[in-house]
Amino acid sequence: MNVLVTGATGFVGQRLVPALLDAGHEVSVLVRDRTRYDAPDNVAVYEGDVLEPAGLDDALADVDAAYYLIHAMGGGRGFEERDRRGARNFASAAEAAGVDRVIYLSGLGVSGDDLSAHLRSRREVEAVLGRGAYELTVLRAAIIVGHGSASFRIVRQLSSRLPVMITPRWVSTRVQPIAIADVIAYLVGVLDAPETAGGTFEIGGPELLTYREMLSTVGRILTGREPYIVPVPVLTPRLSAYWVDLVTDVPAGVAHPLIDGMATDVVVTDDRIRSLVPVELTPFETAVERAIDEETAGGGR
Ligand SMILES: NC(=O)c1ccc[n+]([C@@H]2O[C@H](COP(=O)([O-])OP(=O)(O)OC[C@H]3O[C@@H](n4cnc5c(N)ncnc54)[C@H](OP(=O)(O)O)[C@@H]3O)[C@@H](O)[C@H]2O)c1
């Protein structure tokens, strides 16, 4: 199949491209700056920005399936408008090019009024991409565990840098993190599962944890001791976001929207994908150990 990967310089895209090549697909990528992308052999590189529709047609010509792995939080405030505009441009160009399938990796979280701005924006991108005349597959994931994942980086740095943590009540929020290897297996697998075309699916790892359990486990793996966590009711997610700025090096534009989302449970409520794309799920501790090994080895991001 001829497959286009957008967001190929990103945490997920970087790993998806070699996996698609291994699966025997013809792969091309869309990147904003080709000098920052080290293309594997046999990968065609197109330069383009989804906020500039003119550059998208060449990349999408003769493409059977396209992955949309883009979010605009890296550009800071106003990411919702950029997310919406980018998705709209991409959907129009993919439709005009006659692409059969688009696959979007979105965020997990029960839909409702209390969704954070970040998760609302993911839902809006799903809706905008869904208007194109192709079959859209949406995979929704919570925190993806791997070296280079912004959300996992926050967890890792908080749990290893602070022996004592004063936290908001979100430490009791439930989360179902998933290993990057499993996300890649699902992303590649949906191409061979026609039943997934046109569907929205939730993907998650084998364990359901609270943020407190996740922070404790990561702290223990990294430092040999679990951080002492003291939840206090007065600390709002907004205040804790400023405090995360002091402890981690994840840029505020990315960290704040993610922290705002920590009040919402992000767990799988519908596991239909398991029978359509069988993936042997990686235990959380194994995923964390692999992420740390990769970071130590200096690979990936
Ligand atoms: N990481 C997680 O834990 C997680 C969890 C659930 C869902 N997701 C979703 O998975 C997808 C990929 O996430 P990620 O973690 O791989 O993100 P990432 O590492 O931040 O990568 C984002 C990618 O988007 C590209 N991009 C941004 N704006 C663009 C534009 N206007 N035109 C073209 N490309 C643009 C970036 O390119 P540049 O290199 O040019 O900036 C980069 O390649 C996102 O939709 C995200 O919401 C991620």
Side-chain angles (χ1 to χ4, degrees):
M1 220 181 268
N2 283 339
V3 181
L4 175 75
V5 178
T6 67
T9 53
F11 162 60
V12 178
Q14 256 187 44
R15 288 160 174 82
L16 179 61
V17 169
L20 288 166
L21 290 168
D22 286 348
H25 298 290
E26 298 288 323
V27 183
S28 52
V29 297
L30 178 84
V31 294
R32 287 196 285 194
D33 176 358
R34 66 166 71 237
T35 63
R36 290 196 300 111
Y37 182 65
D38 188 11
D41 290 345
N42 302 320
V43 169
V45 181
Y46 293 90
E47 216 166 57
D49 184 321
V50 291
L51 298 176
E52 307 288 338
L56 302 179
D57 299 348
D58 288 349
L60 284 160
D62 300 322
V63 162
D64 302 309
Y67 287 88
Y68 196 76
L69 301 177
I70 290 174
H71 66 82
M73 284 187 292
R77 277 176 193 278
F79 66 88
E80 298 95 328
E81 188 277 330
R82 292 192 302 278
D83 270 337
R84 188 181 309 128
R85 195 151 45 92
R88 203 183 289 144
N89 291 336
F90 187 79
S92 308
E95 178 174 322
V99 170
D100 298 324
R101 289 189 68 178
V102 171
I103 296 121
Y104 172 50
L105 181 59
S106 182
L108 197 55
V110 180
S111 301
D113 292 344
D114 53 355
L115 273 189
S116 66
H118 160 239
L119 285 175
R120 270 201 309 277
S121 185
R122 303 294 96 214
R123 290 289 174 280
E124 199 181 352
V125 169
E126 291 177 12
V128 173
L129 290 176
R131 289 187 204 125
Y134 43 72
E135 303 233 65
L136 175 70
T137 298
V138 175
L139 297 180
R140 293 177 177 166
I143 291 181
I144 302 176
V145 182
H147 174 45
S149 166
S151 54
F152 180 63
R153 192 173 181 85
I154 295 174
V155 172
R156 185 172 63 68
Q157 294 187 345
L158 281 180
S159 43
S160 62
R161 294 182 179 179
L162 289 178
V164 178
M165 273 188 237
I166 308 292
T167 62
R169 275 185 293 204
W170 55 245
V171 278
S172 328
T173 302
R174 293 176 318 147
V175 58
Q176 197 165 345
I178 181 168
I180 181 63
D182 300 352
V183 173
I184 298 298
Y186 279 124
L187 285 168
V188 175
V190 293
L191 284 188
D192 293 323
E195 311 90 313
T196 61
T200 295
F201 302 92
E202 299 180 345
I203 60 174
E207 291 112 321
L208 217 150
L209 306 167
T210 60
Y211 278 104
R212 175 198 280 253
E213 289 165 337
M214 192 168 58
L215 290 163
S216 298
T217 305
V218 176
R220 177 165 45 72
I221 292 173
L222 277 165
T223 67
R225 55 172 167 64
E226 296 185 357
Y228 186 62
I229 296 172
V230 189
V232 291
V234 289
L235 204 56
T236 62
R238 178 43 48 140
L239 273 176
S240 59
Y242 291 123
W243 163 79
V244 164
D245 289 346
L246 295 175
V247 182
T248 79
D249 59 14
V250 176
V254 176
H256 287 199
L258 293 176
I259 298 287
D260 283 346
M262 285 178 170
T264 315
D265 279 351
V266 279
V267 297
V268 171
T269 57
D270 163 8
D271 66 357
R272 275 174 306 136
I273 193 77
R274 301 293 313 273
S275 55
L276 300 174
V277 183
V279 170
E280 193 175 331
L281 297 174
T282 309
F284 178 65
E285 292 201 14
T286 308
V288 172
E289 283 159 2
R290 285 187 188 153
I292 293 164
D293 287 350
E294 197 182 336
E295 182 177 12
T296 310
R301 283 168 22 128

